[in-house]
Amino acid sequence: MHITTKRPRRRLRAALAGAATLVTAGALMAALPAGAAPQKGAAGGRYQDVQLLSFNDFHGNLEPPAGSSGQVTEDQADGTTKKIDAGGVEYLASSLRKARQGHPYSVTAAAGDLIGASPLLSGLFHDEPTVEAMNKLDLDVTSVGNHEFDEGAGELARLQSGGCHPKDGCYEDGRTFEGADYPYLAANVTDEKTGKPILKPYTVWKHKGVKVGFIGVTLEGTPDIVSAEGVKGLKFHDEIETVDKYAKILDKQGVKSIVALVHEGGAPASASYNYDCDTGGAGSGISGPIVDIAKGVTSKVDALVTGHTHNAYACTIPDPAGKPRMVTSASSYGKLYTDTTLTYDRATKDVVRTAVKSPTSENHVVTRTQAKAADMTALIGRWNKLAAPVANQPVGFISADVPGRGATTPEAPLGDLIADAQLAHAKSLDPKASLALMNPGGIRSDLVFKASGSEGDGVVTYGEGFAVQPFSNTVNLVDLTGEQLVTALKQQVSGANAASPKILQPSAGLAYTLDMTKSGADRVVTDSIRLNGAAIDPAATYRVAMNSFLAGGGDGFAALGAGKNPLVGSDDLKAFNDYLTANSTASKPIAPPKADRITIVK
């Protein structure tokens, strides 16, 4: 084993940005609160604009994501919309480096889920390639997200500190993984035994007398959406209470400018990245958990960088004192970045938030028409060479795009295909298996007909299958009563999923009506539920297949977690690949399922 010491962080920003520039008198006056007079500071003035660049939910997408997963929607002046291909770390690096030019005070932050649920290029190597890429991006800080816990706290600690993987070892001779140059913040994640945060709760960015504190939290509900093994021995605490606690600590340390990195998000009224969610008033165009968090977090916090929902927004949501405060999110997969201007007052050490001068934010598209960052191209090439023997293996054939993550309907064609594959695998283990259910959040990509490399159109490679199902869950079989099965279907739209329904993807033979004009559990029309044409018998026992995450009650499906007589099969990716191989050829490819097993009433 090669032992290395962690290298010192090397910055190129000074060369990119040029010498520090003085703020012009006009700009100073525009930044001043009412009645204030300009004062000299360390950089030639009292007020200094700090550029905050941010992104979230990168999920190891080093290469441009395929299909609709790699597109953003843009509102046009004439009222129409336009799709733009976006994302890929080669372009994200170019975008961020260009954005930093002329900004000597620039800090880059992220709001979690940089890793986990990653395509094969990163996921095959436990996301070491993504951490290396983030180092090259000059990322300053990130919060943890729920996917940072996919492989447990021990693996997260390794990604922070470095070292070879405990099972797979080092992937290249002469190279030892050095870990993240940037801190992962986990203020609301504590060790059950010690009660202390498992990683740093906050950090302070400093540059020429300017100080900005960052507090990082993930959603309190992380244990509900991560495997039990991944969060074993950990406690997750309230986001608002945690941020408030550490904001007070920072304030006592003299750090008055504070940004919260929160891996929880909202849903804007429009899917367009340039939609103005303040059109009808501050924050009027956004809903979801982040609204209550933003309204509740202490006024000591000057801006919130958020994530988790994979949406794009830059809204002003009033803080508890009624002052406007920026709340942002940059979609996912590196398709956007947010550029926020924080005006720092050297006298008060705080960010100016008045009617005259408040933080402003704008999301920008990471276009693929710009030049690629050469160092990222080299990084991708290096890891692709290691992954190629596995990634390029053909596993099946499709006749057209099979939408999954990019589907616009609750039931996705790829979700149905995965459920059919899991049922087929389950039947090979137990002929009594009668249906399969797949969680929508476990579908991480689309299957795209157009070739991504040299494999040919319609060919599904191992790497493409991995991008769809990267979690290494197993296919599990359990016994459920008819009553439990109906309860599980109702849990899609009630309880923990009432505000944001999670529609399970059904295998062929299961059909029912979902009436979205109703509320809660009543949305599932009980009398409509049929399995192979027959009504569900509440007292009968059904052998149901699902992945291990659902079998553990994940995503709020407690009824599925109550199954009896469990039987564990192969991992879900193998089941999916085996199904494609057995049911498709070049001359007879699989057609996308019609996604008509659930009848939706709107």
Side-chain angles (χ1 to χ4, degrees):
M1 178 182 294
H2 299 269
I3 300 175
T4 63
T5 57
K6 197 167 181 111
R7 65 183 182 279
R9 194 149 184 195
R10 296 179 179 176
R11 294 286 180 182
L12 298 178
R13 291 185 187 171
L16 291 172
T21 55
L22 295 179
V23 182
T24 66
L28 268 176
M29 293 307 297
L32 289 174
Q39 296 181 13
K40 289 289 183 182
R46 172 175 168 177
Y47 296 93
Q48 176 63 58
D49 281 350
V50 176
Q51 179 189 58
L52 170 61
L53 301 176
S54 59
F55 58 96
N56 50 276
D57 296 276
F58 184 73
H59 289 291
N61 278 262
L62 299 173
E63 296 178 300
S68 57
S69 296
Q71 294 180 324
V72 294
T73 303
E74 182 180 75
D75 284 337
Q76 304 297 294
D78 62 1
T80 61
T81 59
K82 175 184 177 182
K83 296 286 187 180
I84 303 174
D85 292 335
V89 77
E90 295 160 297
Y91 303 110
L92 179 61
S94 292
S95 291
L96 293 177
R97 289 165 183 170
K98 184 177 180 180
R100 290 175 185 139
Q101 292 177 14
H103 295 276
Y105 292 78
S106 182
V107 56
T108 303
D113 274 10
L114 299 184
I115 60 171
S118 305
L120 181 135
L121 178 60
S122 187
L124 186 64
F125 305 105
H126 301 280
D127 282 309
E128 289 181 19
T130 293
V131 173
E132 285 190 2
M134 294 299 109
N135 287 344
K136 290 179 180 293
L137 278 181
D138 271 340
L139 180 64
D140 288 290
V141 59
T142 183
S143 68
V144 294
N146 53 286
H147 281 287
E148 265 77 22
F149 295 93
D150 284 349
E151 296 187 45
E155 174 63 2
L156 176 57
R158 184 185 76 89
L159 291 176
Q160 176 72 87
S161 302
C164 298
H165 190 270
K167 291 183 179 179
D168 294 343
C170 291
Y171 297 109
E172 298 172 282
D173 291 338
R175 283 182 184 264
T176 297
F177 175 61
E178 296 182 357
D181 288 343
Y182 49 91
Y184 268 106
L185 304 183
N188 69 330
V189 187
T190 59
D191 184 288
E192 283 186 343
K193 294 181 179 179
T194 67
K196 297 180 179 179
I198 62 168
L199 293 170
K200 292 177 66 173
Y202 64 87
T203 192
V204 179
W205 177 85
K206 303 174 183 178
H207 186 63
K208 296 184 178 180
V210 173
K211 297 180 181 180
V212 180
F214 290 88
I215 303 167
V217 297
T218 186
L219 67 155
E220 185 181 7
T222 290
D224 298 328
I225 53 177
V226 174
S227 68
E229 193 63 28
V231 295
K232 187 176 181 181
L234 305 177
K235 291 192 70 175
F236 292 77
H237 303 273
D238 182 83
E239 304 95 336
I240 297 174
E241 292 176 1
T242 302
V243 172
D244 285 4
K245 171 184 175 181
Y246 287 104
K248 290 180 181 178
I249 292 174
L250 284 168
D251 186 66
K252 288 180 180 179
Q253 294 176 358
V255 180
K256 308 295 184 179
S257 299
I258 302 172
V259 175
L261 307 176
V262 183
H263 190 72
E264 179 60 289
S270 168
S272 297
Y273 82 89
N274 56 338
Y275 162 72
D276 183 358
C277 49
D278 290 337
T279 299
S284 62
I286 188 170
S287 60
I290 198 60
V291 176
D292 289 338
I293 292 173
K295 289 180 177 179
V297 162
T298 174
S299 301
K300 295 179 187 297
V301 171
D302 299 296
L304 286 80
V305 175
T306 74
H308 188 54
T309 58
H310 291 203
N311 290 319
Y313 47 84
C315 304
T316 54
I317 300 175
D319 67 14
K323 295 172 64 177
R325 180 165 58 187
M326 289 305 310
V327 181
T328 70
S329 176
S331 185
S332 61
Y333 304 162
K335 293 179 290 189
L336 300 174
Y337 71 92
T338 310
D339 191 335
T340 300
T341 300
L342 305 172
T343 299
Y344 183 88
D345 184 340
R346 292 180 183 276
T348 65
K349 300 180 181 180
D350 205 351
V351 170
V352 179
R353 288 204 291 131
T354 69
V356 177
K357 183 70 173 178
S358 290
T360 57
S361 295
E362 185 176 359
N363 278 319
H364 299 273
V365 181
V366 176
T367 62
R368 299 183 199 166
T369 54
Q370 63 186 308
K372 297 179 180 180
D375 57 340
M376 294 301 179
T377 301
L379 180 147
I380 289 172
R382 193 180 105 237
W383 286 103
N384 260 331
K385 185 177 181 180
L386 293 172
V390 175
N392 296 331
Q393 294 176 9
V395 296
F397 303 85
I398 54 176
S399 64
D401 289 351
V402 187
R405 191 74 176 183
T408 58
T409 54
E411 181 185 356
L414 187 51
D416 288 355
L417 186 60
I418 292 171
D420 290 345
Q422 292 191 359
L423 179 57
H425 178 69
K427 282 184 176 293
S428 73
L429 303 173
D430 185 347
K432 293 180 181 179
S434 53
L435 72 143
L437 298 169
M438 174 64 190
N439 60 307
I443 308 166
R444 305 306 300 187
S445 187
D446 305 322
L447 285 184
V448 180
F449 178 79
K450 185 178 179 181
S452 59
S454 60
E455 75 274 14
D457 291 347
V459 179
V460 180
T461 64
Y462 183 92
E464 290 166 341
F466 189 99
V468 171
Q469 291 200 276
F471 292 109
S472 298
N473 287 316
T474 54
V475 177
N476 289 21
L477 267 168
V478 297
D479 285 347
L480 294 176
T481 65
E483 183 179 6
Q484 287 175 314
L485 178 58
V486 171
T487 297
L489 293 179
K490 289 181 178 292
Q491 286 173 346
Q492 299 175 109
V493 288
S494 63
N497 297 324
S500 181
K502 292 184 175 68
I503 306 305
L504 296 168
Q505 311 293 287
S507 58
L510 181 64
Y512 66 94
T513 297
L514 192 62
D515 188 347
M516 299 305 289
T517 66
K518 298 180 180 179
S519 61
D522 290 339
R523 290 176 169 177
V524 175
V525 182
T526 305
D527 293 342
S528 71
I529 304 173
R530 294 288 185 274
L531 181 59
N532 300 320
I536 298 296
D537 180 353
T541 298
Y542 297 86
R543 199 75 167 134
V544 184
M546 64 195 76
N547 61 38
S548 49
F549 172 67
L550 283 177
D555 268 352
F557 291 99
L560 298 181
K564 304 294 184 183
N565 299 320
L567 178 62
V568 178
S570 296
D571 71 81
D572 51 5
L573 177 58
K574 183 179 187 304
F576 185 56
N577 288 343
D578 287 350
Y579 184 81
L580 292 177
T581 300
N583 292 278
S584 68
T585 63
S587 59
K588 292 185 178 180
I590 286 180
K594 296 180 179 178
D596 58 358
R597 299 166 188 178
I598 304 173
T599 300
I600 308 290
V601 177
K602 296 182 180 180

